[in-house]
Amino acid sequence: MQLLSSAIGRKVVMAATGLFMLLFVIVHLLGNSTIFAGPNAINAYAEKLQSLGPFVWAFRLFLLFMLFFHVIYGILLTLENAAANPGKYAVKKMLKATFASETMIWTGLLLLAFIVYHLLQFTVRVTPDVVLGNDAKGRFDVYTMVAGSLKIAPIAMVYVAAMVTLFLHLSHGIQSIFQSAGLSNDKALPQYTVIGKLLAVIFLVGYSAIPVLILAGILAK
Amino acid sequence: MSDHTSEHRTMTLKLIVWRQKGQNEPGRFETYVARNITEHHSFLEMLDVVNEELIREGKDPIAFDHDCREGICGMCSTVVNGVPHGGQERTTVCQLHMRKFKDGDTIYLEPWRARAFPILKDLVVDRGALDKIIQAGGYTSCHTGGVPDANSTPVSKAESDYAMDAAECIGCGACVAACPNGAAMLFTGAKISQFAALPQGQVEAPERVAGMVNAMQECGFGNCTNHYECQAACPKGIHVKFIARMNREFLKALFRAKSGSHTFIGEGQD
Amino acid sequence: MILDGKAPNGPIESTWDRHRFEMKLVNPSNKRKYKILVVGTGLAGASAAASLGELGYNVEAFCYQDSPRRAHSIAAQGGINAAKNYPNDGDSIFRLFYDTIKGGDFRAREADVWRLAQVSNNIIDQCVAQGVPFARDYAGYLDNRSFGGAQVSRTFFARGQTGQQLLLGAYSALSRQIKIGTVRMFPRTEMLDLVVADGEAKAITVRDLVTGEIRVHAGDAVLLCTGGYVNVFYLSTNAMGCSVTALWKAHRKGAFFANPCYTQIHPTCIPQAGEYQSKLTLMSESLRNDGRCWVPKRKEDCRKTPNSIPEEDRDYYLERKYPSFGNLAPRDIASRAAKEQCDDGRGVGPGGRGVYLDLKDSIARLGEQVIRERYGNLFEMYERITDENGYKVPMRIYPAPHYAMGGLWVDYDLMSNLPGLFVLGEANFSVHGANRLGASALMQGLADGYFVIPYTIANYLARTRPGKVSADHAECRKSVEEVKGYTRKLLSVNGNRTVTEFMRELGHLMWNHCGMARSKESLSEAIARIPAIREEFWQNVKVGGTGEEFNQQLENAGRTADFLEFSELLCRDALDRNESCGGHFRVEYQYPDGEAKRDDENYCYVAAWEWKGIDKPPELHKEPLKFENVHLAVRSYK
Ligand SMILES: Cc1cc2nc3c(=O)[nH]c(=O)nc-3n(C[C@H](O)[C@H](O)[C@H](O)COP(=O)(O)OP(=O)(O)OC[C@H]3O[C@@H](n4cnc5c(N)ncnc54)[C@H](O)[C@@H]3O)c2cc1C
Ligand code: HEM
Ligand code: SF4
Ligand code: FES
């Protein structure tokens, strides 16, 4: 139980759960990118996923579990840290901390809100904008559903904003994984930072491209 | 080369200083003027000048901690304009010189602020918590006498230099003061890393990291979220890689405990 | 009275081993019944407290800083000596012993010095076991350098922070005992009186510097490990809080003060830049291994930028005067030579009080990179303080008060003339004679604490019943009342001058009249003027606030008041010693070439002074010194 109760153990939990979610973010981006290849590709991909049955559920549960721990410990950590620092400096100049590093809890909570919304929308499919239907081959038409919702400007904007949030969260978070898990040193740390920022940018561009291109009418006319 | 023989140009500065009578009393900022300060005054000598004047006026001088005034004892501890030790790289506030300021500058002076460091008076805080962390394992349990010849265990130069890099910490607590989370991870990480790199530190490595991390929590320090403010404020330039090393040592100890080779402190022995 | 140091007789090689065997032991199960009060947590105090706690004694330790880790031992840069002879260059216990006796200008007790040399090797073993990261070579073995004029490489070091690393080692051992509960630590606590009950030192009265509480701690023995007193010169390389207070209070209670006039002036310090200055900073003497000291040959050149002065117009005075030792001449000699040049009007920098320390030739020979590796932190420090780049312009240095060889008188067991009062480290007078060699103070502090006191204290304790005196003993209560009264007195003067003004005035007087060059006239004048300053202090000092709070003015006032009394004793001792030896240089006693002229006929003794009251001159007791293993000789470094 030291892992969950000790100061460093909790950091490691944050890092590990963050890492799994990061891996998901990567896989998810690759999967989503099939949309650029057209309706057929993404619908085929979605069907393939569905056919895995119990595995999909196991995977989802695992991720939810990760998310749960990540959120609980993120909130706990933030509260504990706020208590440890009365934070009453009249003047405080930050030398190294960044906007991203200082707002982890806020970007995290925004992401949580987004994840709930996103799941309700495209996984549970209960938001009013969702278009349900099958494609010509009789598969569930993911393509039409996504394009249908993201054509609506405010929804597309929400997606882009969420991706900016994710960018911020991960531009600090990725290098943080290595540091927290004790896998970093003076030579590696700057490299992790660069890799982390790079990945965060790729996510930002990659994920945002979908709503932006749909909204701009380039994808899914 | 600045010319020491010529007349010093002098400056006048406005100081906004945290004044607090005692630990449980309210504090507030007071404004003072420092006059006739030359660029060769050290920061603390500038404060001496202000204090001498306050004493002559029958007022209470500003209390601040200091002793060696050469950057090694770790006693001095003032946040200057929002940065512990004033922000000159690898420099304690006692070694900060007034040439870094301009005539007419306004300077804010505040104590280290962290839950684990109660303020005793004005700029003086109680850093006993750092001693507690060391007491929880920052040593090798060798007896006086009865140890092997110093050269009986060679230590590679690289490891020994690494240990020395970590050992340079002066225990000033600026890392805690700078940390948005009031964490003492840099201080603790440096001590754990010093021993982790040396053969002498191996035997007790698991108990050490468990004990010290635990003490850190018990003393009310926060947790690291990798802002790296500590390294930036540290007057000895202690690197955050030592925090990563501590995390690694912690995990190593944890896995060794799980595999039964020893009992993790805090898990209880019967 | 003729004092007896109780040094064992017989062949010097076996003195310590025989003595260890002959001393009494305290039964292990009885040890915890004895309480030992350790004042000071520098190298001497921390190592003693840790070792005694480990043996099972009940220890209480005190320091005025907020943590035991901050004692001024932390500031030592250069290194620590030991006779390990790892480099195979001819070192031995005998040679270290010999060098220390000779370096001390034949004013130390032979047996004590022998013991120091003998245990020096254990210290290095101990420190390495504690995880002290000494410098190592590429094969992984410990590295040595030659230091402070030694002709063998016997100095162990940890970058430029040896004192720090050794102290942190001792502090870690102390922390371990605190955790175990054998040692109770009282930081931010200043000792303000020694309690002597029935002729034995049994308690101390302290002030809690946070709350102002004045209380007594009673025990079975008191160890003073409170460091040196050269802040009597006001500006010195010591920390701001270093004081003579603990020693002086003990002296007033009957402990003899030995050789107070032996003060060391360190040659390589950053010169004073202005009147406001609060302390002087030492630059490690190791710089002299690669640096050359010079001043312009002509007075007219002193204001020129140094790089514009051609080689032929520079006077490399140390190489000129001491061809065989050159820039590595011992401290007292190098300091005096610098002063001579400045007195001759050829000093440089503010007030003409400075000489150049030039590393140009070494930079040319070895490259800037090598020099940076060796001394980078010193160059950085120099630049932070002076804003000058030592790689480009020669650094300016000037001697500064640095170390006190004198201290409370102790016998071979480190016990003062007051039974139960032990004195360790820089606070005692024992091994450095009239001059201390580089890298040997750290050695002494740790030798005393780790390897001497654990044995010798038993020799005393075994003869006394534990818990003889408790805190409600009449003497203890009296002491508390006296300290309270004294504190009130300081606070009630309410005059017009600040404590610092008095300290600065005293420091000036001491430096000018009793500094690097002393004479009958200058010393007599100082002895005449000090009481006047003291008197004015008690009439006109301004100390604000109350005694029941955190009050730094009050702390300083108390320390200054003690310096105002002690300084007079220092001058008296200097006046009484009609010879020049080591750090004590009397202008009347010198050879035609300016070298110190010792008088072994009349002054080969330890001068131990007994307090007789503020208005009465102290009484001198002598401990004659015998040299049976190293023969008295003129100390020459030509
Ligand atoms: C700048 C500098 C560089 C040096 N470099 C070297 C070197 O390279 N090699 C070498 O061998 N030596 C060196 N020395 C000398 C050496 O460092 C000291 O002589 C030695 O460390 C003294 O140790 P100590 O334990 O006796 O006293 P200190 O370390 O001075 O400790 C004194 C202790 O006593 C406490 N104390 C004092 N008064 C009171 C009181 N009234 N009440 C309670 N507590 C009190 C203090 O809090 C402190 O804990 C150097 C000295 C200086 C100043
Ligand atoms: C897509 C979802 C998310 C991903 C990929 C993600 C990823 C990460 C990563 C990699 C870290 C760094 C871990 C470390 O310190 O080593 C991190 C930290 C953090 N996360 Fe998340 N996170 C996500 C969602 C959330 C949510 C919903 C919250 C809400 C509470 C949150 C709160 C935090 C906080 C407070 C931290 C700071 C911990 C620290 O910096 O030490 N995250 N996250
Ligand atoms: S790590 Fe740096 S800032 Fe923190 S206590 Fe040590 S020296 Fe001070
Ligand atoms: S006063 Fe010692 S480090 Fe600043």
Side-chain angles (χ1 to χ4, degrees):
Chain A
M1 271 301 105
Q2 285 273 331
L3 191 62
L4 298 187
S5 65
S6 103
I8 294 176
R10 292 179 184 191
K11 286 288 307 169
V12 175
V13 171
M14 282 305 283
T17 51
L19 175 68
F20 283 115
M21 290 193 289
L22 170 67
L23 292 178
F24 169 75
V25 169
I26 296 173
V27 174
H28 195 46
L29 176 62
L30 293 176
N32 286 359
S33 300
T34 50
I35 201 168
F36 298 114
N40 191 28
I42 187 163
N43 288 352
Y45 163 71
E47 172 141 297
K48 185 96 200 144
L49 271 186
Q50 287 303 320
S51 71
L52 294 176
F55 288 104
V56 180
W57 274 106
F59 185 67
R60 281 177 175 165
L61 271 176
F62 174 72
L63 271 183
L64 274 178
F65 203 61
M66 291 293 110
L67 180 67
F68 176 75
F69 270 96
H70 193 80
V71 171
I72 296 296
Y73 277 92
I75 293 172
L76 258 173
L77 247 158
T78 309
L79 291 177
E80 282 177 8
N81 286 344
N85 175 17
K88 283 184 300 202
Y89 286 115
V91 186
K92 178 82 177 94
K93 196 165 117 203
M94 288 297 177
L95 300 171
K96 243 343 210 315
T98 57
F99 178 73
S101 76
E102 287 185 77
T103 52
M104 287 300 274
I105 184 64
W106 303 118
T107 50
L109 288 175
L110 284 174
L111 281 176
L112 179 63
F114 172 74
I115 291 168
V116 171
Y117 171 67
H118 180 60
L119 289 180
L120 288 177
Q121 189 170 35
F122 290 148
T123 307
V124 191
R125 297 165 192 161
V126 291
T127 51
D129 52 288
V130 209
V131 195
L132 302 173
N134 287 355
D135 69 356
K137 291 188 181 156
R139 297 171 302 200
F140 178 72
D141 193 353
V142 175
Y143 184 85
T144 310
M145 172 180 73
V146 170
S149 292
L150 294 184
K151 258 190 207 121
I152 305 165
I155 294 179
M157 302 288 274
V158 165
Y159 271 79
V160 173
M163 291 311 113
V164 172
T165 315
L166 181 69
F167 161 78
L168 285 172
H169 200 76
L170 291 184
S171 67
H172 176 72
I174 294 174
Q175 55 81 37
S176 212
I177 296 177
F178 297 95
Q179 174 76 4
S180 297
L183 300 171
S184 154
N185 61 32
D186 48 352
K187 295 219 178 55
L189 185 56
Q191 293 168 9
Y192 293 143
T193 309
V194 171
I195 294 172
K197 293 232 162 88
L198 214 81
L199 273 179
V201 170
I202 292 174
F203 296 147
L204 176 63
V205 174
Y207 278 115
S208 302
I210 300 170
V212 168
L213 292 184
I214 288 176
L215 193 63
I218 298 172
L219 205 65
K221 276 167 262 267
Chain B
M1 169 178 172
S2 67
D3 191 356
H4 282 266
T5 48
S6 73
E7 269 304 293
H8 297 308
R9 71 188 168 86
T10 68
M11 359 178 194
T12 303
L13 304 138
K14 186 163 130 193
L15 307 185
I16 301 179
V17 186
W18 181 259
R19 302 302 309 262
Q20 181 171 335
K21 276 229 134 252
Q23 189 170 337
N24 297 317
E25 319 230 0
R28 63 189 186 292
F29 283 99
E30 294 271 345
T31 305
Y32 303 95
V33 179
R35 292 189 187 80
N36 293 322
I37 305 301
T38 74
E39 55 178 344
H40 297 303
H41 277 77
S42 72
F43 195 85
L44 300 188
E45 284 164 353
M46 181 273 292
L47 280 183
D48 290 343
V49 170
V50 174
N51 273 346
E52 286 287 290
E53 205 165 307
L54 287 174
I55 294 171
R56 269 187 224 105
E57 290 168 8
K59 295 189 185 137
D60 194 21
I62 303 160
F64 60 92
D65 260 334
H66 65 110
D67 201 30
C68 74
R69 294 206 176 184
E70 54 183 88
I72 191 74
C73 74
M75 187 98 174
C76 59
S77 45
T78 297
V79 176
V80 179
N81 285 336
V83 184
H85 289 305
Q88 186 182 341
E89 216 182 311
R90 293 178 68 92
T91 304
T92 53
V93 67
C94 61
Q95 290 281 284
L96 183 66
H97 277 69
M98 295 310 292
R99 60 181 73 92
K100 300 285 167 198
F101 296 85
K102 296 188 309 294
D103 190 26
D105 276 357
T106 297
I107 307 175
Y108 275 83
L109 287 95
E110 296 181 66
W112 282 180
R113 293 191 197 274
R115 176 175 58 184
F117 291 166
I119 297 175
L120 297 178
K121 183 173 183 185
D122 300 345
L123 305 176
V124 177
V125 301
D126 179 355
R127 285 169 289 191
L130 296 182
D131 289 324
K132 291 237 167 59
I133 293 177
I134 299 294
Q135 285 158 18
Y139 42 74
T140 69
S141 298
C142 62
H143 301 278
T144 302
V147 297
D149 182 85
N151 253 351
S152 61
T153 318
V155 182
S156 79
K157 185 160 164 41
E159 288 288 296
S160 149
D161 283 348
Y162 175 95
M164 183 63 209
D165 286 342
E168 285 200 20
C169 163
I170 58 175
C172 62
C175 43
V176 179
C179 178
N181 308 324
M185 294 259 172
L186 192 61
F187 170 83
T188 314
K191 195 38 86 185
I192 287 172
S193 302
Q194 175 193 344
F195 288 118
L198 296 172
Q200 290 80 8
Q202 300 311 309
V203 178
E204 297 166 287
E207 291 84 358
R208 177 175 305 114
V209 67
M212 290 177 77
V213 168
N214 195 35
M216 216 160 56
Q217 261 173 302
E218 280 178 1
C219 289
F221 290 104
N223 203 332
C224 184
T225 54
N226 306 331
H227 293 290
Y228 309 137
E229 277 297 307
C230 48
Q231 179 182 337
C234 173
K236 296 291 142 183
I238 304 291
H239 199 282
V240 291
K241 71 178 174 192
F242 296 125
I243 299 181
R245 178 67 178 260
M246 168 171 64
N247 297 346
R248 187 153 79 240
E249 293 296 322
F250 178 85
L251 285 174
K252 256 169 51 188
L254 202 62
F255 287 121
R256 272 172 67 178
K258 293 273 177 277
S259 72
S261 63
H262 80 100
T263 313
F264 213 66
I265 289 181
E267 291 212 314
Q269 281 164 305
D270 35 38
Chain C
M1 176 163 86
I2 299 293
L3 276 170
D4 179 8
K6 303 201 192 87
N9 297 315
I12 192 95
E13 294 79 6
S14 54
T15 38
W16 176 230
D17 298 335
R18 267 184 291 120
H19 189 66
R20 271 203 305 187
F21 177 71
E22 285 159 10
M23 278 185 294
K24 291 195 175 299
L25 298 171
V26 175
N27 179 322
S29 61
N30 279 340
K31 286 201 174 99
R32 69 187 159 71
K33 296 183 192 152
Y34 289 99
K35 188 193 274 184
I36 302 173
L37 308 172
V38 181
V39 188
T41 58
L43 288 185
S47 58
S51 304
L52 294 170
E54 186 176 46
L55 282 174
Y57 293 109
N58 178 357
V59 178
E60 292 186 351
F62 306 81
C63 70
Y64 70 76
Q65 293 93 344
D66 71 333
S67 161
R69 67 180 289 154
R70 306 200 203 283
H72 199 53
S73 293
I74 202 114
Q77 303 167 351
I80 177 166
N81 285 337
K84 283 280 192 189
N85 192 28
Y86 284 154
N88 196 28
D89 59 356
D91 202 6
S92 62
I93 292 175
F94 194 90
R95 189 177 293 282
L96 177 54
F97 160 70
Y98 174 90
D99 286 353
T100 308
I101 291 282
K102 178 186 170 205
D105 223 355
F106 301 92
R107 290 293 176 263
R109 208 184 278 145
E110 275 193 340
D112 295 48
V113 177
W114 178 272
R115 175 176 64 194
L116 174 68
Q118 184 180 341
V119 303
S120 68
N121 293 339
N122 305 41
I123 296 174
I124 303 303
D125 301 342
Q126 189 65 34
C127 294
V128 167
Q130 287 169 346
V132 170
F134 282 125
R136 288 178 183 265
D137 61 22
Y138 282 97
Y141 294 104
L142 293 165
D143 204 0
N144 289 113
R145 65 181 172 204
S146 95
F147 190 73
Q151 283 167 317
V152 289
S153 290
R154 62 160 73 104
T155 304
F156 294 79
F157 60 102
R159 297 213 177 122
Q161 287 112 290
T162 317
Q164 179 196 26
Q165 293 311 315
L166 297 177
L167 182 59
L168 292 183
Y171 160 77
S172 72
L174 177 64
S175 298
R176 178 172 154 247
Q177 296 305 321
I178 294 173
K179 174 79 175 185
I180 296 172
T182 58
V183 179
R184 274 185 76 196
M185 183 68 222
F186 296 87
R188 289 202 201 267
T189 304
E190 187 170 23
M191 168 189 160
L192 293 179
D193 198 16
L194 176 75
V195 181
V196 181
D198 311 318
E200 294 185 277
K202 288 293 177 195
I204 58 172
T205 302
V206 299
R207 179 167 180 271
D208 179 323
L209 299 182
V210 178
T211 62
E213 184 199 358
I214 290 168
R215 59 170 191 267
V216 80
H217 288 251
D220 297 289
V222 177
L223 270 54
L224 296 187
C225 317
T226 52
Y229 53 73
V230 290
N231 266 350
V232 69
F233 295 103
Y234 183 56
L235 288 183
S236 84
T237 64
N238 280 9
M240 303 301 289
C242 293
S243 76
V244 77
T245 291
L247 301 187
W248 193 249
K249 301 301 191 192
H251 176 62
R252 290 184 58 133
K253 286 293 174 79
F256 296 167
F257 214 118
N259 301 335
C261 80
Y262 292 159
T263 50
Q264 181 166 79
I265 312 295
H266 196 290
T268 51
C269 302
I270 302 178
Q272 188 180 358
E275 262 306 301
Y276 53 80
Q277 196 145 331
S278 57
K279 80 152 272 154
L280 296 170
T281 303
L282 176 85
M283 298 230 293
S284 169
E285 181 164 45
S286 57
L287 280 169
R288 288 201 280 148
N289 289 340
D290 285 302
R292 301 174 71 194
C293 295
W294 64 275
V295 289
K297 279 189 178 152
R298 289 190 305 263
K299 292 179 186 160
E300 309 83 85
D301 289 350
C302 290
R303 295 207 149 217
K304 287 189 185 158
T305 58
N307 289 336
S308 70
I309 302 174
E311 219 32 56
E312 61 274 17
D313 290 339
R314 300 177 175 195
D315 176 11
Y316 293 93
Y317 58 90
L318 281 175
E319 295 164 32
R320 168 170 59 80
K321 293 179 61 140
Y322 307 99
S324 73
F325 274 73
N327 293 296
L328 293 175
R331 292 179 177 171
D332 50 340
I333 290 178
S335 291
R336 237 168 9 246
K339 178 177 186 310
E340 269 170 34
Q341 312 313 311
C342 298
D343 288 348
D344 190 34
R346 295 183 294 125
V348 296
R353 303 313 299 181
V355 299
Y356 290 122
L357 176 65
D358 203 338
L359 278 88
K360 168 173 63 77
D361 293 347
S362 296
I363 292 176
R365 184 163 43 91
L366 303 165
E368 190 171 313
Q369 194 46 40
V370 174
I371 296 297
R372 200 178 284 278
E373 271 165 30
R374 283 189 195 162
Y375 312 109
N377 61 331
L378 297 173
F379 280 83
E380 274 175 37
M381 184 169 81
Y382 183 78
E383 182 158 3
R384 271 199 291 272
I385 294 175
T386 63
D387 203 24
E388 293 170 17
N389 178 346
Y391 297 104
K392 301 264 145 48
V393 202
M395 299 192 235
R396 289 173 299 107
I397 55 168
Y398 197 67
H402 173 59
Y403 183 83
M405 280 76 70
L408 292 189
W409 183 87
V410 289
D411 63 14
Y412 187 70
D413 281 351
L414 300 182
M415 188 161 82
S416 73
N417 58 306
L418 293 176
L421 179 67
F422 293 79
V423 191
L424 282 67
E426 192 174 341
N428 73 25
F429 88 104
S430 68
V431 292
H432 303 299
N435 175 54
R436 173 176 72 79
L437 292 178
S440 58
L442 300 180
M443 172 171 69
Q444 183 215 345
L446 292 180
D448 288 359
Y450 285 133
F451 300 113
V452 179
I453 199 72
Y455 298 95
T456 60
I457 201 165
N459 208 21
Y460 165 74
L461 291 176
R463 296 164 212 268
T464 85
R465 182 168 49 79
K468 260 196 207 166
V469 171
S470 67
D472 50 16
H473 189 282
E475 284 297 327
C476 292
R477 287 208 300 263
K478 191 170 135 219
S479 165
V480 168
E481 282 320 306
E482 275 171 9
V483 172
K484 283 186 178 158
Y486 188 78
T487 306
R488 274 196 299 274
K489 197 170 143 200
L490 279 169
L491 288 163
S492 64
V493 180
N494 198 18
N496 294 314
R497 289 182 71 195
T498 66
V499 175
T500 310
E501 285 172 52
F502 283 103
M503 200 53 231
R504 213 176 253 149
E505 181 179 352
L506 176 68
H508 253 288
L509 179 73
M510 291 301 288
W511 183 232
N512 291 331
H513 291 71
C514 190
M516 270 185 285
R518 302 158 173 181
S519 69
K520 187 167 180 222
E521 289 70 42
S522 72
L523 292 166
S524 310
E525 191 185 330
I527 292 169
R529 276 171 56 187
I530 291 167
I533 305 178
R534 196 163 59 221
E535 210 147 288
E536 197 202 334
F537 177 87
W538 285 107
Q539 304 284 317
N540 199 20
V541 72
K542 190 174 182 82
V543 186
T546 69
E548 290 78 42
E549 60 179 346
F550 189 98
N551 187 341
Q552 293 172 315
Q553 276 186 84
L554 181 63
E555 295 167 27
N556 289 336
R559 294 168 194 160
T560 300
D562 291 328
F563 276 130
L564 282 166
E565 293 179 5
F566 165 70
S567 52
E568 194 178 329
L569 179 70
L570 199 166
C571 293
R572 276 188 200 282
D573 185 43
L575 180 64
D576 201 65
R577 191 166 280 280
N578 291 308
E579 64 165 349
S580 295
C581 60
H584 169 64
F585 188 76
R586 287 277 301 269
V587 295
E588 303 95 321
Y589 307 100
Q590 52 178 310
Y591 291 102
D593 60 357
E595 294 309 308
K597 194 170 177 182
R598 230 174 48 218
D599 179 354
D600 295 329
E601 196 76 31
N602 298 304
Y603 290 94
C604 196
Y605 61 73
V606 177
W609 299 90
E610 182 181 356
W611 171 258
K612 289 281 162 188
I614 188 83
D615 308 314
K616 298 195 198 77
E619 184 182 339
L620 174 63
H621 302 284
K622 295 178 185 174
E623 181 198 338
L625 291 168
K626 292 192 295 285
F627 292 92
E628 291 165 345
N629 297 281
V630 185
H631 294 289
L632 282 164
V634 176
R635 178 168 158 256
S636 166
Y637 290 95
K638 292 238 173 196

